[in-house]
Amino acid sequence: MSIKTDALIVGAGPCGLFQIFELGLLGLKAHIVDSLDHPGGQCAELYPDKPIYDIPAIPVCTGEELVQNLLKQIEPFNAGFHLGE
């Protein structure tokens, strides 16, 4: 199977998810690969319910809320997800 994309992102944690957004703003198509079977990285895996206080412009959110907000933000860019790989 051949995949055509402008960028390949390794790691579907918050930084990788935000990278989809940034690339999408530039009109670039991205695919993202992660060994976990779901996006979110450590935020989703290790502390989904723990409050996070150091996200710019967000006074407090949980790891799960952060991941869900990022997924909503990147929806328009139709990134390819390759999870559990």
Side-chain angles (χ1 to χ4, degrees):
M1 179 169 117
S2 176
I3 297 171
K4 181 160 175 52
T5 189
D6 296 312
L8 175 67
I9 301 164
V10 178
C15 291
L17 296 175
F18 190 69
Q19 189 61 51
I20 292 171
F21 175 74
E22 289 292 326
L23 290 166
L25 291 177
L26 297 172
L28 299 173
K29 173 79 172 162
H31 279 250
I32 190 163
V33 178
D34 199 294
S35 61
L36 294 176
D37 63 357
H38 55 276
Q42 289 184 0
C43 286
E45 190 69 14
L46 300 178
Y47 48 91
D49 298 324
K50 182 180 175 186
I52 301 172
Y53 300 101
D54 59 353
I55 306 297
I58 300 175
V60 63
C61 71
T62 65
E64 182 64 26
E65 290 170 333
L66 176 61
V67 171
Q68 291 308 312
N69 286 336
L70 286 164
L71 289 171
K72 184 184 238 183
Q73 184 179 39
I74 64 174
E75 277 179 10
F77 302 113
N78 299 313
F81 279 79
H82 307 274
L83 303 173
E85 297 186 26

